[in-house]
Amino acid sequence: MGRLRAVAGYSLEAIVVVVAYLAMYFSGYGGDAPFLCLLMGVLGGAQQQPGVQRWLSGGDLRRHATLRMALLLITSTVFIYATGWGAVMVCGLTMAVAVHMRYTGPHLWRAGVVWTVVCTLAGQAAIALGWASSYIASPAVHFGALGAMVLSALLIRTIGITDVERREAQVTSRATERRYRALINDSADVFAIYQLDGTVNYVSPAIRNLSGLDPDKIDVAALRDWVHPEDRADAVRLLQEAPGPGAQLVPAEIRVRAADGTYRWTEATIRDLTSDPDVLGHLINVRDVHDRKTSQQRLAHAATHDALTGLVNREAFGRTLDAACAAGETAVLFVDLDGFKQINDSYGHEAGDALLIKAAEILGRWSPRGATVGRFGGDEFGVIIPWPNGCAEQAAERILAGLSDPVVFAGLELPIRASIGVAVSSPGSGAGELLRRADLAMYEAKRAGAHGFEVAPPTRRLVQTGRPS
């Protein structure tokens, strides 16, 4: 049954024409060659079958296309002129050309026009020679055929050109679609189309490389969990403030979870394309900038921190001290390691570096929470305490106690000794003055004996205030 419906579907035009012809014939207006008409109708219907067309072309529908069109038009011409109404039924050749273009393509419309003219002229010649009958008397039959022929040719041309342009547009559209799909599929950027109701229409395959997520199984919950908890508020704000078409995009740096469970920095932009009928959503673009971001962070850290110990360097220490003094009462500890030069000269720079690293660790551990610890260079360190209130002296004592344990290097126990100067800011004094007083106090501690601290009074006279036993 299915096969029969397929055959009838491809030959529908021929079946309709034959039925119409039978109605004309039984009404007495079907010509005097009914068997020839029926035979041509059957042959025409058979030529509309895809299997017959492939047989005639040897399996390749691009072969013998013009000859196969000519055969269908000749069959149709014999049919319409055998009915006695050939002059007014010439327009039926347009249908035959259209049927044939369904198999061979619209580029043969010019051949269709030529064969329509040839077949019409042949049919009219048959009427003029008396080989074919006509219900329309001469010369009206010839003028009618001329008009029908011109209309048929113009109609075939219109159908052909329209179909050619449509197919070219389809080819261009498919090529553009393939191009953009290739760009998106091969791009490292993640693209997604997101609806405000929570629907995710599309996610590009790049998300698999960035996060390990399956782009075909992503929903709004997966996207929310993908973003670092601390950055979700920024992601929501970015979505709510998404600019429309043509407006400037403002990127945001958002961390997303990678396939290994760590978080990577990305640069995200969102554009509101809910008014675009081809998108109807928000277009999200996520670009992996983790390497660039971490490189910038490393450069920024290197510009403000000591490479050996990881403490802030002299320049960053000075800026922090300026800000602390401007904010209120501040204390500074100036720390100098005793005997460092001898250890460095005796055991080498590696031993000296180990000593400096250990000293930096102890300073960071025993300084008050919120204090800034820095290295000035060589064996000199500093500690900024923004709220002294007795913390400075206690911090000095804890640091000296922590430095009492020797550093083990290459099987050797290297002692760490230090002299610390403590200075507390006074009204009107600046960072430079405070640091100078702490430096002078440190030298007083060094003259008084190794491994102790001195507190610088507001006046120029320095008084010894404490020394661990």
Side-chain angles (χ1 to χ4, degrees):
M1 183 61 69
R3 175 64 176 169
L4 183 61
R5 283 198 298 268
V7 171
Y10 283 110
S11 301
L12 179 62
E13 294 87 354
I15 293 173
V16 172
V17 169
V18 169
V19 171
Y21 166 73
L22 290 174
M24 294 169 58
Y25 177 76
F26 289 116
S27 300
Y29 294 96
D32 53 6
F35 294 106
L36 180 60
C37 290
L38 292 175
L39 176 61
M40 293 299 105
V42 171
L43 289 176
Q47 291 180 58
Q48 294 181 35
Q49 296 297 314
V52 174
Q53 287 293 320
R54 283 193 294 269
W55 176 73
L56 291 174
S57 63
D60 186 355
L61 291 176
R62 293 172 298 181
R63 298 175 56 192
H64 313 308
T66 303
L67 292 178
R68 287 185 287 115
M69 176 184 284
L71 179 61
L72 182 58
L73 286 174
I74 292 171
T75 301
S76 301
T77 301
V78 173
F79 171 82
I80 63 177
Y81 275 92
T83 65
W85 298 96
V88 295
M89 292 178 65
V90 167
C91 291
L93 297 178
T94 303
M95 180 192 70
V97 174
V99 168
H100 194 74
M101 287 195 298
R102 183 168 60 187
Y103 299 105
T104 58
H107 60 283
L108 290 178
W109 68 266
R110 292 181 178 84
V113 170
V114 171
W115 277 106
T116 296
V117 172
V118 170
C119 289
T120 302
L121 294 177
Q124 292 305 119
I127 292 175
L129 295 174
W131 296 349
S133 59
S134 175
Y135 288 104
I136 303 174
S138 180
V141 66
H142 299 301
F143 287 108
L146 176 63
M149 180 183 68
V150 171
L151 289 176
S152 296
L154 293 176
L155 185 57
I156 292 170
R157 178 181 180 276
T158 301
I159 293 174
I161 291 177
T162 302
D163 205 7
V164 167
E165 291 176 348
R166 179 181 62 83
R167 296 199 180 197
E168 289 177 349
Q170 288 178 342
V171 170
T172 302
S173 177
R174 291 193 188 101
T176 302
E177 181 180 354
R178 288 194 299 270
R179 186 182 306 116
Y180 280 103
R181 187 173 295 278
L183 289 173
I184 291 176
N185 289 344
D186 294 338
S187 174
D189 291 6
V190 175
F191 296 92
I193 298 177
Y194 174 83
Q195 304 285 349
L196 287 179
D197 63 2
T199 304
V200 180
N201 297 82
Y202 172 79
V203 180
S204 65
I207 198 169
R208 183 179 285 110
N209 296 329
L210 182 58
S211 68
L213 297 175
D214 187 344
D216 297 326
K217 299 180 180 179
I218 289 182
D219 54 16
V220 63
L223 285 179
R224 183 178 60 251
D225 294 340
W226 185 43
V227 178
H228 193 285
E230 296 178 2
D231 296 339
R232 287 173 189 169
D234 291 337
V236 172
R237 176 190 55 78
L238 195 66
L239 184 66
Q240 293 174 342
E241 300 176 0
Q248 183 178 2
L249 290 171
V250 180
E253 291 184 340
I254 294 175
R255 288 164 292 177
V256 301
R257 189 175 63 254
D260 59 2
T262 61
Y263 283 91
R264 295 183 65 83
W265 282 102
T266 65
E267 186 178 81
T269 58
I270 302 180
R271 187 177 292 284
D272 184 357
L273 297 178
T274 53
S275 60
D276 188 330
D278 295 326
V279 181
L280 298 176
H282 286 76
L283 179 62
I284 302 173
N285 175 228
V286 179
R287 174 172 297 174
D288 188 345
V289 295
H290 188 76
D291 293 340
R292 185 188 74 189
K293 179 74 174 180
T294 52
S295 177
Q296 291 173 345
Q297 291 174 335
R298 285 195 298 270
L299 290 174
H301 186 273
T304 58
H305 288 74
D306 175 58
L308 177 63
T309 64
L311 301 178
V312 296
N313 58 23
R314 179 184 289 274
E315 290 77 10
F317 188 91
R319 291 192 295 269
T320 304
L321 184 58
D322 287 337
C325 289
E329 190 178 14
T330 305
V332 170
L333 275 63
F334 198 114
V335 183
D336 183 85
L337 300 184
D338 298 325
F340 174 77
K341 185 177 185 302
Q342 290 82 353
I343 292 176
N344 207 42
D345 293 342
S346 300
Y347 301 104
H349 291 292
E350 291 184 358
D353 289 347
L355 206 66
L356 293 172
I357 293 172
K358 184 63 176 181
E361 179 186 337
I362 293 171
L363 284 168
R365 181 189 306 167
W366 295 111
S367 294
R369 185 183 299 272
T372 299
V373 182
R375 181 188 177 201
F376 299 149
D379 59 351
E380 295 180 338
F381 298 85
V383 181
I384 301 172
I385 304 175
W387 47 90
N389 300 330
C391 291
E393 293 87 342
Q394 295 174 9
E397 291 176 351
R398 289 195 299 267
I399 291 170
L400 289 171
L403 292 173
S404 297
D405 295 331
V407 175
V408 178
F409 175 79
L412 301 173
E413 290 188 353
L414 306 178
I416 308 180
R417 314 293 285 175
S419 297
I420 302 176
V422 181
V424 180
S425 63
S426 57
S429 64
E433 172 65 18
L434 181 62
L435 192 60
R436 185 187 67 80
R437 289 171 49 224
D439 188 20
L440 292 175
M442 182 272 295
Y443 278 107
E444 283 296 317
K446 193 177 287 290
R447 281 194 290 269
H451 214 56
F453 74 91
E454 295 289 339
V455 178
T459 60
R460 298 180 63 86
R461 183 174 59 84
L462 295 175
V463 180
Q464 179 179 338
T465 61
R467 184 175 310 283
S469 58

